[in-house]
Amino acid sequence: MTAIHTPTERVWWKQPLDRAELLWILIALAWCMVLFFMMPYWHLYGKQNLANEAYRTGPEQFSKLTDEMVSKYKVREEGGDLKVPVVHPPAGGDAYLIARLWSWYPILELEAGKSYRIHLMSMDYQHGFSLQPENINIQVLPGYDHVITVTPTHAGTYGIVCNEYCGIGHSTMTSKLYVVK
Amino acid sequence: MAVNRMFRTCPTTGLVFHQPAERLIIVNAVTAVVFLLIGGLLALGVVLTRWPAVHWLAADRFYQVLTAHGINMLIFWIIFFEIAGLYFCSAVLLKSRLATPRMAWAGYGLMLIGALVNNYAVLRGDSSVMMTSYVPMSAHWSFYLGLILFAVGALVACFVFFGTLVVAKSERTYVGSVPLVTFGAITAAIIAVFTIASGAIILIPTFLWSLGLISHIDPLMYRTIWWAFGHSSQQINVAAHISVWYAIAAIVFGAKPLSERVSRMAFLLYIFFLQLASAHHLLVDPGLSSNWKIFNTSYAMYLAVLASMVHGLTVPGAIEVAQREKGYNHGLFQWLRKAPWGNPVFSGMFISLIGFGFLGGISGVMMGTEQLNLIIHNTLYVPGHFHATVVIGTTLAFMALTYFLIPVLFRREVMFPGMAKWQPYVFGFGMYGVALFLMAAGTLGVPRRDWDITFAGNTFPYEFPGAAFLMLGLAGISGLIAIVGGGMYLLNTVGSVFLGKRVVTPGFAYVRAADGVAPAPKPVSAAITGHGSAVGAWGLVAPGTFSFAMVFLASFVLYYFINWKYLATVWPLK
Ligand code: HEM
Ligand SMILES: [Cu+2]
Ligand SMILES: [Cu+2]
């Protein structure tokens, strides 16, 4: 009988498998294994993986580290009256980026081909770090210092867009990131 | 108190309706449709604001409208309809009385009050926190309270469903195993219990926090548990709409499942491999290990994906076999060409199935891959994906079923049959457009839930490429088409149910049944009948469906690896 009736065969679990179904199950299962193993494979051979390095910390501590970096490595200010510092941290070193309602602080200037440990954290609500047009998107939480080791490949001016809804000013939360040669 | 044992039998379908069950199904379904109407009106505000050339609403209004759109659609419309479905799959399909109709009414009342309270909170204007309500952004306490009441009501309904299964079994209203569709509903209800428990674990503390009784809720913990609730509930929707597909294949074609064993196992896989379904929402979150992410995002090796791929074959496969048995046996696709494309019950179901598989399924697996998530997280790709799953998949399947229910359950004629014929195409293809163009905009990096992507007035604006604006414009136009399609559905259902011509059957009556329902079902012989007679090309019973499945697989493989290729060009990260 049909799917809205009780099965005709009382022992339906002994009914032989149809060939079309069996073939498809095997093919689909093989594909599912490929889907699964691509993830560990990319950890071994791919270059884009999150290290999942993160520390619990508080806003005071994180601001302190950020301010230290800003005072040491500030190269100029931008944004008119806002005077947002542009910071050129040493290649291979740590760089801090604060997300807060509704701005990013400071502006980082990185060198192409060098790697950096970028620390991302929010001071208040949840935010989203979206680097455009690279299209790297990372969740930014309050209380978690998320360390991302990144190597910019091409020089240029990139945009940072907040892509986690964070209240009425959400779409005003944009910034820049410079990559120089 | 005496148990109501009044039943009626539908003269055309032979389905048996317990009087209180019938009323509850009607009331839950009608309430669902009211929330669809509200959500649909709100969709207009969402679409016309996100279309940059129109940019209709102000920022605060937009976020408020988007919050309400998400909740009214995803939670209230879908779940009220699903409760109607649970009662249908238990009481009606098992020809049983509904256990404790009073509890069912109480559950309904709680759900309704919850939905109203939550809408009140959003309407106040201080609770535009989106359905996810990520802490520490907080809404008015009534926002959480509304959701909690709603969830408790839904839980009560699930238990009425389970109770009805027990009643049917003990009053012997059926012999052997429950029908496949009921089995699918059981799957949905079991997942629902798990889901609602997770919801309670996270929403109750959040409610207390909003009242100031708890000082801190960890945002990562919130996200993990919230999504155990938020995502598992999508698994309920999948189980529910796949059951609807099977039901429609049975109703329209008299199709019989290719094999009960395979289809039921596939439903079971949903339960076994639900895992921490929240993982794929947390792939780019700090504080979780890759091992945890990989294991959980793949539901322990993609066995739930396997289950969906199996249903994707067995539903159309069953239709193909039924059609071939009717003589549409020519070539690979005559069975499909000769399908009743003018019958909205069928066309809606088929458009739902194809869209869910090709648009929703493939994109979902792509996004849920640990590393690939980096390139789409929180972009418009995400709403693009879930409008393919929960709108094309679930909503359209429910719409298709409605056209069957209007005469059978409501006993009315469909008021505008011509409009009904076109409605699944307008809504379905409009939604295909919405899903595709939102995904395209997301691939170009456009954020979701963002009022203004021109970033006008920002100190450091970012300029999206022209193609992104084109995609948003196309999404806007498709969205309007889909809204028109939704309007056609609402007009026709509300019109038919309240003003449509009554279906009159001579000798109509509710009949008292002593215990369970007469007539006692006949046990059938245990002879095993395969589909032996109708084997087609390549020795397969459903060669047409099988070749479709191959096309699906090829698109899946191609799209999946294109995204890895794209990822490989992104800045190295570790
Ligand atoms: C009738 C036509 C519909 C249109 C044109 C439409 C359009 C949209 C658009 C463009 C967004 C994304 C907005 C953004 O992120 O900025 C959205 C969000 C959403 N839609 Fe729809 N939608 C429709 C129907 C539905 C239905 C039927 C459902 C559920 C069953 C649904 C569920 C949602 C949800 C859950 C969100 C996410 C809200 C959030 O981000 O919190 N939509 N809709
Ligand atoms: Cu933000
Ligand atoms: Cu934001």
Side-chain angles (χ1 to χ4, degrees):
Chain A
M1 291 296 269
T2 75
I4 55 172
H5 299 96
T6 52
T8 324
E9 296 87 7
R10 293 292 300 268
V11 281
W12 47 263
W13 55 91
K14 288 204 180 143
Q15 197 187 348
L17 272 198
D18 175 72
R19 192 161 145 188
E21 284 181 308
L22 186 64
L23 262 176
W24 179 241
I25 291 174
L26 293 176
I27 295 170
L29 186 65
W31 175 236
C32 289
M33 292 302 119
V34 174
L35 293 176
F36 181 76
F37 284 106
M38 271 310 284
M39 293 187 284
Y41 170 84
W42 203 260
H43 274 281
L44 295 175
Y45 301 105
K47 294 212 172 70
Q48 293 77 13
N49 290 291
L50 290 179
N52 300 304
E53 183 182 351
Y55 306 95
R56 275 173 186 276
T57 177
E60 300 77 22
Q61 174 67 8
F62 197 82
S63 305
K64 205 174 119 231
L65 292 168
T66 311
D67 290 339
E68 276 168 19
M69 171 193 75
V70 171
S71 60
K72 269 199 216 151
Y73 303 114
K74 180 162 104 176
V75 287
R76 59 180 184 276
E77 283 173 347
E78 283 192 14
D81 294 344
L82 288 176
K83 294 196 171 145
V84 183
V86 178
V87 178
H88 190 114
D94 293 86
Y96 296 83
L97 185 58
I98 287 180
R100 63 186 173 207
L101 300 170
W102 285 285
S103 62
W104 300 88
Y105 180 91
I107 294 175
L108 299 174
E109 184 178 271
L110 310 176
E111 289 171 33
K114 302 281 163 52
S115 52
Y116 296 84
R117 286 165 52 81
I118 297 187
H119 297 247
L120 286 172
M121 193 172 109
S122 161
M123 298 288 112
D124 35 57
Y125 288 174
Q126 305 195 12
H127 297 283
F129 171 86
S130 175
L131 185 75
Q132 295 300 335
E134 267 314 285
N135 216 0
I136 293 174
N137 304 283
I138 294 169
Q139 191 77 19
V140 185
L141 301 182
Y144 289 83
D145 170 359
H146 193 183
V147 189
I148 292 134
T149 308
V150 36
T151 317
T153 48
H154 299 288
T157 305
Y158 294 82
I160 298 176
V161 174
C162 176
N163 74 359
E164 180 58 80
Y165 170 68
C166 53
I168 183 75
H170 170 50
S171 56
T172 64
M173 189 169 161
T174 53
S175 182
K176 279 185 186 173
L177 185 139
Y178 292 105
V179 178
V180 294
K181 285 236 164 53
Chain B
M1 201 193 65
V3 174
N4 179 332
R5 291 183 189 277
M6 301 299 281
F7 290 84
R8 74 169 170 94
T9 305
C10 170
T12 38
T13 58
L15 291 172
V16 174
F17 292 85
H18 178 223
Q19 199 175 32
E22 181 186 22
R23 274 192 220 125
L24 277 153
I25 296 170
I26 287 178
V27 167
N28 277 284
V30 168
T31 311
V33 169
V34 172
F35 284 104
L36 179 67
L37 170 66
I38 298 172
L41 291 173
L42 294 162
L44 206 57
V46 173
V47 167
L48 292 181
T49 307
R50 289 239 51 175
W51 183 350
V54 182
H55 206 241
W56 180 33
L57 300 174
D60 54 346
R61 182 69 67 196
F62 170 73
Y63 292 126
Q64 185 184 20
V65 162
L66 183 56
T67 304
H69 168 72
I71 298 176
N72 281 297
M73 287 296 207
L74 189 64
I75 306 184
F76 304 147
W77 141 248
I78 298 258
I79 297 183
F80 272 114
F81 201 95
E82 280 168 351
I83 300 303
L86 285 183
Y87 296 155
F88 185 87
C89 291
S90 52
V92 179
L93 293 185
L94 298 179
K95 302 181 189 325
S96 166
R97 68 181 171 88
L98 190 77
T100 62
R102 286 174 157 240
M103 290 302 286
W105 282 108
Y108 170 79
L110 278 172
M111 286 169 68
L112 186 62
I113 293 169
L116 294 176
V117 168
N118 177 274
N119 269 297
Y120 156 79
V122 177
L123 206 63
R124 288 168 54 96
D126 59 358
S127 300
S128 305
V129 294
M130 305 293 146
M131 57 170 190
T132 42
S133 56
Y134 289 142
V135 300
M137 183 189 283
S138 89
H140 189 252
W141 55 266
S142 56
F143 179 92
Y144 311 104
L145 183 67
L147 292 179
I148 293 168
L149 293 177
F150 184 86
V152 173
L155 190 63
V156 169
C158 288
F159 284 111
V160 172
F161 168 77
F162 291 125
T164 306
L165 297 179
V166 173
V167 167
K169 186 101 205 152
S170 66
E171 298 186 356
R172 305 173 67 80
T173 64
Y174 65 98
V175 281
S177 311
V178 299
L180 178 60
V181 170
T182 307
F183 192 84
I186 295 174
T187 308
I190 291 173
I191 300 174
V193 172
F194 167 79
T195 302
I196 295 169
S198 308
I201 293 173
I202 198 61
L203 286 174
I204 293 172
T206 310
F207 167 62
L208 297 175
W209 169 77
S210 71
L211 288 171
L213 299 174
I214 288 182
S215 65
H216 176 74
I217 292 185
D218 181 77
L220 181 61
M221 187 219 34
Y222 179 92
R223 287 168 62 80
T224 312
I225 305 176
W226 195 90
W227 279 112
F229 155 67
H231 195 83
S232 315
S233 61
Q234 304 319 306
Q235 212 73 34
I236 307 175
N237 298 341
V238 173
H241 75 233
I242 288 178
S243 304
V244 170
W245 294 346
Y246 276 113
I248 289 178
I251 291 162
V252 177
F253 298 95
K256 159 181 172 174
L258 291 182
S259 77
E260 295 277 350
R261 178 158 64 147
V262 169
S263 299
R264 284 172 202 243
M265 271 311 293
F267 275 122
L268 279 182
L269 286 180
Y270 285 147
I271 303 180
F272 293 155
F273 294 102
L274 194 59
Q275 302 299 318
L276 259 181
S278 52
H280 62 231
H281 296 266
L282 310 175
L283 295 173
V284 294
D285 274 34
L288 299 164
S289 77
S290 281
N291 288 342
W292 185 89
K293 288 177 179 174
I294 292 177
F295 182 77
N296 286 298
T297 192
S298 68
Y299 300 77
M301 301 208 172
Y302 288 106
L303 293 179
V305 171
L306 176 68
S308 295
M309 287 174 77
V310 169
H311 290 303
L313 178 91
T314 56
V315 175
I319 294 177
E320 178 172 352
V321 170
Q323 286 283 79
R324 282 181 189 278
E325 276 168 5
K326 279 184 206 127
Y328 300 121
N329 209 357
H330 190 76
L332 279 183
F333 297 115
Q334 193 197 24
W335 63 275
L336 191 60
R337 277 201 310 278
K338 297 287 182 189
W341 293 101
N343 176 353
V345 182
F346 167 73
S347 63
M349 171 258 162
F350 210 79
I351 296 170
S352 160
L353 182 130
I354 298 293
F356 178 75
F358 279 85
L359 299 177
I362 295 180
S363 63
V365 171
M366 191 290 264
M367 307 201 297
T369 303
E370 192 205 4
Q371 296 90 343
L372 294 178
N373 190 258
L374 266 172
I375 52 180
I376 58 87
H377 180 73
N378 270 354
T379 66
L380 271 179
Y381 194 93
V382 179
H385 153 76
F386 66 68
H387 281 74
T389 55
V390 89
V391 187
I392 298 172
T394 314
T395 301
L396 186 52
F398 289 177
M399 286 177 169
L401 188 69
T402 313
Y403 293 110
F404 164 76
L405 293 178
I406 289 173
V408 171
L409 172 69
F410 294 93
R411 286 182 282 133
R412 302 275 185 165
E413 282 175 19
V414 172
M415 205 170 189
F416 310 107
M419 193 196 275
K421 207 164 150 178
W422 287 104
Q423 189 272 332
Y425 295 92
V426 179
F427 183 77
F429 292 134
M431 230 356 125
Y432 276 37
V434 172
L436 274 171
F437 296 126
L438 290 184
M439 285 190 227
T443 306
L444 295 167
V446 179
R448 71 185 287 197
R449 301 173 165 176
D450 198 321
W451 171 65
D452 179 18
I453 64 140
T454 65
F455 306 119
N458 289 11
T459 315
F460 306 110
Y462 171 72
E463 199 177 321
F464 277 106
F469 287 87
L470 179 65
M471 292 307 143
L472 288 171
L474 291 170
I477 295 169
S478 319
L480 291 185
I481 296 174
I483 291 172
V484 169
M488 287 161 73
Y489 168 81
L490 291 166
L491 186 68
N492 218 345
T493 9
V494 176
S496 310
V497 167
F498 292 103
L499 307 167
K501 205 165 135 227
R502 277 187 189 283
V503 176
V504 275
T505 332
F508 174 85
Y510 286 93
V511 187
R512 172 174 301 277
D515 203 15
V517 180
K522 320 190 263 298
V524 226
S525 74
I528 292 178
T529 53
H531 295 284
S533 55
V535 173
W538 313 311
L540 303 174
V541 287
T545 303
F546 196 78
S547 47
F548 261 136
M550 288 299 140
V551 173
F552 172 77
L553 186 72
S555 334
F556 199 163
V557 173
L558 194 69
Y559 184 72
Y560 182 71
F561 284 111
I562 285 175
N563 278 287
W564 280 107
K565 216 159 167 280
Y566 173 17
L567 179 73
T569 66
V570 167
W571 292 359
L573 293 159
K574 51 179 196 324

